[in-house]
Amino acid sequence: MAGKPVAGQVAPAPSAPAKKAERPKDRSQVAVLSALRRIDACALVDLKLAKRVSSESSVQKAPLGPHACAAVEKRFGGDIMRVAVGEVQEHIARFRAKPIELAGAKAYEMRTLGELEQCRVFIPVSFDLSVDLDYEDEAGAGLDASCGVLHSWGEYVVKKLRRPGSIKLAPNKRPFAAWDGCTMLVEILPDSKKCKYRPNGTYDPFSGCWALGENKSVKLEVQYGSKDDIRSGTRRTIGGKKVTVRAWSTTAWPSRCRGPRGLPRTAPSRC
């Protein structure tokens, strides 16, 4: 500032720092989880689009778990399109993704470069959870083409999500559909308040969960397999139910066990 100081002049008071913008509030976690559990993931699969991009003439929907589904070629059984309801996409992941708009809704496109080029699209439903779309490009048309297919599919999904009545899931028709993995673990674990929870399923992220405690951890997964998976193990009775148990290291994995309302009666081995 030009000029000279004047003796006895009072220095101006510093201006007040600008207020930081308030962080927007996330949606109610209870409401989000409840809404996601009611969605039929298979109702989000665009079968017409799957048939158009498939090299096979016959394609069908196949649930991978209570809250995940795929478009599968009947002849070879390969997944073409996969949708996972309630997958975790942390806020930091959105900085690495490209913001896009699908039928007026905000979504993100994530491209993986290198030997395995892949395009994924996820539609956020809260700060951390999303509806995740994955497409397997068999023709090798490139990332632009793969992302184009996902954009078309994403618009289909957004329009479906705006009409929840058309994609409502009947829990009695799909085992464990009334639950998500972390809610299930909270009910099962005797010291559930001492653990932190994160959805972490392999084929169905929302239906699996990883509970982390102090020097303890347990992982639960709910996914659909075949009768061969049930037969290849040791038959036991747990909670009055016939189950198959296969053990790796120190962890026991019940392959089939249901209690009242679909809740497993088996206690996890640790935590």
Side-chain angles (χ1 to χ4, degrees):
M1 182 182 295
K4 295 181 179 180
V6 178
Q9 184 176 2
V10 179
S15 57
K19 292 183 178 180
K20 292 184 178 180
E22 292 185 7
R23 178 186 174 98
K25 292 183 179 179
D26 196 3
R27 291 171 174 171
S28 165
Q29 184 183 29
V30 174
V32 170
L33 296 179
S34 177
L36 291 175
R37 287 195 294 264
R38 298 177 185 178
I39 296 175
D40 183 353
C42 286
L44 299 178
V45 175
D46 187 347
L47 202 55
K48 291 183 179 179
L49 178 61
K51 291 178 179 179
R52 192 162 68 243
V53 299
S54 172
S55 58
E56 298 296 321
S57 58
S58 57
V59 179
Q60 64 184 4
K61 299 179 183 181
L64 304 175
H67 303 291
C69 193
V72 180
E73 294 174 334
K74 292 183 182 179
R75 183 177 179 184
F76 297 110
D79 296 348
I80 304 170
M81 299 162 62
R82 292 175 293 275
V83 55
V85 172
E87 183 159 357
V88 172
Q89 290 291 348
E90 294 177 342
H91 191 66
I92 190 65
R94 302 177 191 188
F95 288 98
R96 301 194 300 268
K98 175 184 175 182
I100 59 176
E101 188 175 294
L102 300 173
K106 180 184 290 185
Y108 295 88
E109 171 195 293
M110 186 174 292
R111 299 190 177 200
T112 303
L113 303 176
E115 293 183 7
L116 182 62
E117 293 187 344
Q118 186 182 25
C119 185
R120 293 173 60 203
V121 164
F122 57 93
I123 304 164
V125 294
S126 71
F127 283 175
D128 297 323
L129 297 177
S130 67
V131 176
D132 195 81
L133 307 179
D134 185 16
Y135 164 61
E136 190 75 28
D137 177 22
E138 297 178 332
L143 278 176
D144 289 339
S146 296
C147 289
V149 171
L150 284 172
H151 287 196
S152 298
W153 184 19
E155 292 191 354
Y156 175 90
V157 170
V158 168
K159 292 175 183 177
K160 284 281 191 177
L161 291 173
R162 288 184 177 140
R163 294 185 292 112
S166 66
I167 55 175
K168 189 175 180 180
L169 176 64
N172 59 333
K173 293 184 179 180
R174 197 163 295 166
F176 298 103
W179 297 85
D180 62 272
C182 290
T183 301
M184 194 182 294
L185 267 187
V186 169
E187 292 291 330
I188 294 173
L189 297 177
D191 52 354
S192 59
K193 293 182 179 180
K194 296 181 180 180
C195 293
K196 294 183 178 180
Y197 300 87
R198 176 187 176 90
N200 194 302
T202 303
Y203 299 103
D204 186 343
F206 191 51
S207 298
C209 188
W210 189 12
L212 296 171
E214 186 177 353
N215 301 320
K216 305 174 183 178
S217 70
V218 62
K219 184 175 181 181
L220 175 145
E221 289 204 37
V222 180
Q223 63 192 48
Y224 297 157
S226 65
K227 293 181 179 179
D228 292 335
D229 296 330
I230 297 175
R231 294 192 185 106
S232 59
T234 303
R235 298 291 289 172
R236 291 178 56 187
T237 300
I238 299 178
K241 298 290 182 179
K242 293 289 184 181
V243 303
T244 302
V245 175
R246 297 197 305 273
W248 287 276
S249 186
T250 59
T251 305
W253 295 72
S255 298
R256 186 180 183 183
C257 181
R258 295 182 60 190
R261 296 180 297 164
L263 178 65
R265 298 295 298 275
T266 19
S269 58
R270 293 185 293 167
C271 193

